[in-house]
Amino acid sequence: MGTTQLETVPEPKYWHLKTVLSEALDSEFSVGEILPNERDLAARFGVARATLRQALEQLELEGRLQRRRGVGTTVAPPRMGVAVGSEEHVWPGAADDAWQPAGCATAPPPNAVAGLLGTARDEQVHTVRRSRVSQGQPVAAELLYVPRASLPALPEPPFPDAPSGAARARAVLRELQHLGLEGQDRAVELGSARVEDARELDRLPGAPVLVVTTRFFAEGRTAAVSVATYRADTCRLTFGDSGGVEIHHGTEDEVS
Amino acid sequence: MGTTQLETVPEPKYWHLKTVLSEALDSEFSVGEILPNERDLAARFGVARATLRQALEQLELEGRLQRRRGVGTTVAPPRMGVAVGSEEHVWPGAADDAWQPAGCATAPPPNAVAGLLGTARDEQVHTVRRSRVSQGQPVAAELLYVPRASLPALPEPPFPDAPSGAARARAVLRELQHLGLEGQDRAVELGSARVEDARELDRLPGAPVLVVTTRFFAEGRTAAVSVATYRADTCRLTFGDSGGVEIHHGTEDEVS
């Protein structure tokens, strides 16, 4: 069984196994199919269980396999493309917003967020929790932080500290719409799912996630900061600054 | 020692430890400092070694800790913001391009890339290998795939299969400049470092990476596809469609 590498590079054993397994997934298995158990797989490829497990972990990281309790290891469907920051999703709460508000609290944000918002350390801000569903699956959980100064017209609830519901979340989003959005920027980085996010995303706490931090600028200041946690196993985040993603997809299909 | 969670959520033990450790990192340690060994840490926090290891893995995933062979576990500096797809870096090989060409081969691309390019299964394409350095550290390795049809004026080397050097890479990039870029789109997803990339990025094979796939459109077709692998431990990818990232940073510093 020859290696497919073009260059001569010392390859760890599990890495070579991963390549071989990946080819087997393409040729012998279909999406959703359950893999044989670890003992049988290790025997088939003539490797130690530890080596097999490392290779399976890699394939899970790359989104090729899913491991679910009580089900076993299955062949994952291709990752979903989830649009981030397309022109249509600029302002939280806009009519065609992909996010569903779930709740709202008023609390001091994490220090890093306070830094981005330019609020004082213990200053309370509106914190809207939203979730995003794509193709029937939860793909992301978000906390949207809005300084009270951004929304002077919003009536304050009688007990500012008490978390309140989706109705208040909608009120915050509605007020945001009245600001003129001047720009936004975002950063994507690797993170691990917090306990609340994990529950919402149907993952274990600590599972790898893609964290997208977006700053929204209005009236010469940072009017809101969104911290969104996307499932890293099932999602690829798409950015189309040409606005031509779907169109070009179509063109390719016609050409090929 | 109270939990800092607002909501009552069942927390795994290592997760709580992670929170406590994270606070200790903020208050007691400085960047680059070596952590006590696992035995001492486990004793200090009154947890099993396995629990401690899980918490350390989480903190590594979040970029708070770095584990290096022969050094131990150190406190990581904040992640570097690395600009992706800003207006200045639109076309590979442009004068202010952040990438350095390292080599070039002519070979069939992976099937997924062939699909994006619309090339036939075994069709050979120019494959330019480039690397990106930021603040003196390697941050990304890239393979840039260019169908031969995109560059009809490029002279073919005598042996098309033979990998050739940086000179040929530059020739491919120079020819690309002659095409009018019409648009681009990109996707970001989690991956694991391939053996060649790991070596270039000073990581172990299989380390988590952020994979950025960019399609460049010119003359009504996909003229090139870039697959860039960024270190997930040290990088956060920044996207500034307002072009105002640095300006707003400056403004905030003045305000606070």
Side-chain angles (χ1 to χ4, degrees):
Chain A
M1 200 152 37
T3 166
T4 54
Q5 296 291 126
L6 281 174
E7 300 167 47
T8 338
V9 177
E11 254 189 350
K13 201 166 187 179
Y14 74 88
W15 191 265
H16 179 62
L17 175 63
K18 196 207 78 166
T19 311
V20 174
L21 271 171
S22 183
E23 285 163 9
L25 291 181
D26 285 337
S27 58
E28 298 173 34
F29 292 88
S30 49
V31 167
E33 200 172 335
I34 300 173
L35 253 61
N37 66 42
E38 289 188 1
R39 195 174 51 191
D40 291 353
L41 278 177
R44 169 172 165 188
F45 292 102
V47 295
R49 290 276 287 269
T51 306
L52 177 73
R53 266 194 219 113
Q54 277 186 295
L56 294 178
E57 273 169 27
Q58 290 302 316
L59 289 167
E60 199 186 357
L61 203 61
E62 293 171 18
R64 299 293 314 273
L65 293 177
Q66 286 178 316
R67 288 202 272 187
R68 282 178 290 177
R69 284 194 194 170
V71 176
T73 302
T74 58
V75 180
R79 283 174 170 159
M80 274 183 282
V82 182
V84 173
S86 58
E87 294 305 316
E88 303 85 51
H89 300 123
V90 281
W91 219 189
D96 51 0
D97 195 323
W99 297 86
Q100 290 300 318
C104 184
T106 306
N111 289 343
V113 173
L116 293 176
L117 290 172
T119 53
R121 269 292 150 110
D122 290 324
E123 188 178 327
Q124 300 203 326
V125 304
H126 305 296
T127 308
V128 175
R129 171 168 278 280
R130 301 195 298 169
S131 63
R132 183 168 176 179
V133 171
S134 187
Q135 300 176 25
Q137 288 177 44
V139 292
E142 182 203 47
L143 288 174
L144 178 69
Y145 301 95
V146 188
R148 287 155 133 186
S150 294
L151 307 179
L154 187 75
E156 297 279 332
F159 307 102
D161 286 9
S164 40
R168 179 145 183 91
R170 282 190 295 270
V172 169
L173 295 169
R174 210 160 39 229
E175 284 300 313
L176 263 185
Q177 297 299 307
H178 295 153
L179 302 177
L181 182 66
E182 286 156 11
Q184 57 181 313
D185 64 27
R186 53 178 56 76
V188 180
E189 63 190 309
L190 182 63
S192 63
R194 290 171 308 153
V195 175
E196 317 88 272
D197 296 334
R199 197 178 37 180
E200 206 162 311
L201 298 175
D202 194 19
R203 299 287 286 157
L204 291 177
V209 289
L210 297 169
V211 180
V212 181
T213 305
T214 307
R215 297 192 292 175
F216 297 97
F217 306 117
E219 302 177 4
R221 59 197 297 281
T222 303
V225 165
S226 150
V227 179
T229 299
Y230 287 83
R231 281 183 67 150
D233 56 338
T234 53
C235 297
R236 47 205 303 274
L237 310 183
T238 64
F239 297 82
D241 66 20
S242 68
V245 191
E246 295 310 323
I247 294 160
H248 280 278
H249 251 303
T251 310
E252 274 174 26
D253 288 343
E254 283 164 38
V255 168
S256 63
Chain B
M1 198 151 40
T3 166
T4 55
Q5 295 292 126
L6 282 173
E7 300 167 47
T8 339
V9 177
E11 255 190 346
K13 202 166 186 179
Y14 74 88
W15 191 264
H16 180 62
L17 175 62
K18 196 206 77 166
T19 309
V20 175
L21 271 171
S22 183
E23 285 162 9
L25 291 182
D26 285 337
S27 58
E28 299 174 34
F29 292 87
S30 49
V31 167
E33 200 172 335
I34 300 174
L35 252 61
N37 66 43
E38 288 187 1
R39 196 173 50 191
D40 291 354
L41 278 177
R44 170 173 165 186
F45 292 103
V47 296
R49 290 276 287 270
T51 306
L52 176 74
R53 267 196 218 112
Q54 277 186 295
L56 294 177
E57 273 169 27
Q58 291 302 316
L59 289 167
E60 199 186 358
L61 202 63
E62 293 171 20
R64 300 293 314 274
L65 293 177
Q66 285 178 316
R67 288 203 272 187
R68 282 178 290 177
R69 284 193 194 172
V71 177
T73 301
T74 58
V75 180
R79 283 174 170 158
M80 274 184 280
V82 182
V84 173
S86 59
E87 294 304 316
E88 303 85 50
H89 300 124
V90 282
W91 218 189
D96 51 0
D97 195 325
W99 296 87
Q100 290 300 318
C104 184
T106 307
N111 290 342
V113 173
L116 294 176
L117 289 172
T119 53
R121 271 291 151 112
D122 291 323
E123 189 177 328
Q124 301 202 327
V125 305
H126 305 296
T127 308
V128 175
R129 170 168 278 279
R130 301 195 297 169
S131 63
R132 183 168 176 179
V133 171
S134 186
Q135 300 176 25
Q137 288 177 44
V139 293
E142 182 204 47
L143 289 173
L144 178 69
Y145 301 94
V146 188
R148 287 156 133 185
S150 294
L151 307 178
L154 186 75
E156 297 280 333
F159 306 102
D161 285 9
S164 39
R168 179 146 182 90
R170 282 191 294 271
V172 169
L173 295 170
R174 212 161 37 230
E175 284 299 313
L176 262 185
Q177 298 298 306
H178 296 153
L179 302 177
L181 182 66
E182 286 156 10
Q184 56 181 313
D185 63 29
R186 53 178 57 76
V188 179
E189 63 190 308
L190 181 62
S192 62
R194 291 171 308 153
V195 175
E196 316 88 272
D197 296 334
R199 198 178 37 180
E200 206 162 312
L201 298 175
D202 194 19
R203 298 288 286 158
L204 291 176
V209 290
L210 296 170
V211 180
V212 181
T213 304
T214 307
R215 298 192 292 174
F216 296 98
F217 307 116
E219 301 178 4
R221 58 198 297 280
T222 303
V225 166
S226 150
V227 179
T229 299
Y230 287 82
R231 282 183 67 150
D233 55 339
T234 54
C235 297
R236 49 205 302 274
L237 310 183
T238 63
F239 296 82
D241 66 20
S242 69
V245 191
E246 294 311 323
I247 294 161
H248 280 276
H249 250 304
T251 311
E252 275 173 23
D253 287 344
E254 284 164 38
V255 167
S256 64

